Amino acid sequence: MSDHGPLSFAEAPKGCRRCPRLVGLRKSLRKDHPDWWNAPVPAFGDPEAWLAVVGLAPGKEGAHRTGRPFTGDASGEMLFTTMTKYGFVDGQFANDPADGITLKSAIILNAVKCLPPENKPTGAEINNCRAYLAKALDGLPNLKIIMALGKIAHDSIIRLSGARLADHKFAHGAKHDLPDGTTLIDSYHCSRYNVNTGRLTVAMFEEVFKQAVYLSSTNRP
């Protein structure tokens, strides 16, 4: 995998300093884990994608460690298993960047590119990172569907679309038509917590992907 990902023009620099709190966390983890990625995590997937899956932020043991979104901790298991079922994954996901998988027709982004303490970015940090999300989405020529994993990703996408949050409430399975002609579909985040508590089941997650595939098909009735 390239250090810069498939959308190098849309990535935060490795030493990005926009968010002092996140920079501080990165520095302390660099001391403890010098072999970790410890930097903003680039997008992963197909630059010709029609589907963009937008997560929250890198996980400490996951993307912050490995440098690939949803890779290295439990959150990726459900995501990549489901994406494999719907034909987006070439290769066998082994939760390690060395597994060599590639995505086709899909790309994975995060609303916030750096690890936030306790997985909770502040409003200012989400705002600071939105320019990178906007650049990435704008740089996908075939984009039709955006899937937001969780409310933070949903809110960030609605804000950058110019639509009103009050008119577009987050709800699992909800569909929102955005001003630029793309469609936003909401899903609960496939975090270990949501899966373990039963808030998000495999069937619920598959239903959202099924909806995305249906909406993207040009020959639908």
Side-chain angles (χ1 to χ4, degrees):
M1 184 186 70
S2 150
D3 271 8
H4 305 296
L7 303 176
S8 54
F9 57 85
E11 297 298 352
K14 261 196 142 173
C16 184
R17 306 192 61 79
R18 286 187 178 197
C19 305
R21 194 177 73 121
L22 306 192
V23 173
L25 179 58
R26 215 160 65 205
K27 280 186 173 160
S28 68
L29 283 169
R30 204 169 279 154
K31 284 195 194 97
D32 297 340
H33 303 285
D35 55 330
W36 283 14
W37 177 259
N38 276 320
V41 174
F44 173 65
D46 183 354
E48 301 296 318
W50 60 259
L51 173 67
V53 177
V54 182
L56 167 55
K60 183 179 173 187
E61 306 282 333
H64 181 79
R65 175 173 67 85
T66 64
R68 191 176 80 183
F70 288 89
T71 301
D73 60 13
S75 67
E77 295 284 353
M78 185 187 266
L79 178 61
F80 282 103
T81 299
T82 308
M83 291 184 80
T84 298
K85 177 170 179 171
Y86 286 91
F88 294 108
V89 180
D90 277 333
Q92 186 71 43
F93 176 70
N95 221 348
D96 182 321
D99 60 21
I101 62 165
T102 56
L103 299 185
K104 55 184 179 196
S105 303
I107 194 162
I108 302 172
L109 314 166
N110 274 318
V112 175
K113 291 197 156 288
C114 291
L115 170 71
E118 293 163 11
N119 293 325
K120 288 182 183 147
T122 64
E125 289 159 358
I126 298 164
N127 290 345
N128 285 346
C129 221
R130 192 169 299 121
Y132 297 118
L133 179 60
K135 258 191 214 173
L137 293 172
D138 286 348
L140 296 169
N142 301 319
L143 183 65
K144 292 182 181 178
I145 313 274
I146 304 168
M147 187 183 295
L149 303 183
K151 186 173 185 301
I152 285 177
H154 164 94
D155 286 2
S156 208
I157 292 156
I158 294 293
R159 283 182 199 281
L160 69 83
S161 78
R164 289 177 64 234
L165 280 174
D167 297 334
H168 298 278
K169 296 270 198 296
F170 174 81
H172 182 80
K175 178 175 84 74
H176 310 271
D177 295 320
L178 301 181
D180 66 356
T182 56
T183 301
L184 173 65
I185 301 177
D186 294 334
S187 173
Y188 289 137
H189 194 286
C190 50
S191 66
R192 177 185 293 177
Y193 178 81
N194 281 348
V195 174
N196 286 352
T197 57
R199 187 179 200 204
L200 180 66
T201 64
V202 169
M204 287 167 69
F205 203 43
E206 288 184 353
E207 197 53 47
V208 176
F209 273 90
K210 202 182 289 179
Q211 189 182 0
V213 170
Y214 171 76
L215 288 171
S216 76
S217 62
T218 48
N219 59 353
R220 66 179 191 269

